[in-house]
Amino acid sequence: MTDVERLLSGIREGRSWAQSEADRHHLAATAGAKTAAADAPLALAYIAIGQVLDKIIESAQGD
């Protein structure tokens, strides 16, 4: 595996992590958790991180 392939693999793993965190915070925010006020913005932040990582992956695959 080349360095580029390892880097892209790590980015994909980061994307998966961001999605799971977004899901977790979204669930907490919508389930009426005591931390709902804090969880909603965190869910949006993790979604944004995932979107940035998606763009990086798309760009790397286009090269």
Side-chain angles (χ1 to χ4, degrees):
M1 184 181 283
T2 67
D3 288 342
V4 172
E5 290 169 332
R6 280 193 292 275
L7 178 61
L8 193 53
S9 176
I11 292 170
R12 285 187 181 117
E13 288 175 20
R15 174 62 179 104
S16 177
W17 168 81
Q19 182 62 51
S20 70
E21 286 296 303
D23 292 345
R24 184 173 68 88
H25 287 287
H26 177 72
L27 181 62
T30 58
K34 291 180 183 178
T35 60
D39 282 311
L42 283 171
L44 293 176
Y46 284 115
I47 290 169
I49 291 168
Q51 290 172 340
V52 169
L53 293 176
D54 283 342
K55 293 294 183 185
I56 292 170
I57 292 167
E58 288 172 17
S59 177
Q61 290 175 338
D63 291 341

